[in-house]
Amino acid sequence: MRAKPWIFAVLVVVIFEGVFCFRLWRPARQVELHTDHLLKAASSRNGKAFRSFLDDSYTDRWGHDAASATED
């Protein structure tokens, strides 16, 4: 049995997966994905999903904390 075609195929798959993961895990891409999910949760009025994006110590300049921001 010849091993070289299998080695080449495995190498191509590993390189493809490496490039995919590198592109997916870039910081800018992660911010984009999380922002998209946050906005989808807010627009669908899914409080539980929205709350999962907020830290327990969240506060803003309007006096909201995590619970009141989720309610509003």
Side-chain angles (χ1 to χ4, degrees):
M1 179 176 212
R2 295 174 47 197
K4 289 187 181 191
W6 289 103
I7 292 172
F8 180 72
V10 169
L11 184 62
V12 168
V13 169
V14 167
I15 289 172
F16 177 76
E17 287 183 7
V19 169
F20 174 78
C21 290
F22 177 76
R23 289 181 48 116
L24 178 66
W25 292 334
R26 289 179 317 183
R29 179 69 176 147
Q30 288 296 304
V31 170
E32 182 181 313
L33 287 172
H34 285 270
T35 301
D36 185 44
H37 291 142
L38 172 70
L39 294 176
K40 283 181 182 177
S43 67
S44 67
R45 302 236 181 234
N46 186 346
K48 186 176 180 181
F50 182 79
R51 178 69 172 89
S52 70
F53 287 98
L54 300 177
D55 187 54
D56 292 334
S57 62
Y58 171 81
T59 59
D60 60 24
R61 63 182 171 186
W62 296 281
H64 285 104
D65 60 1
S68 66
T70 304
E71 284 180 23
D72 291 345

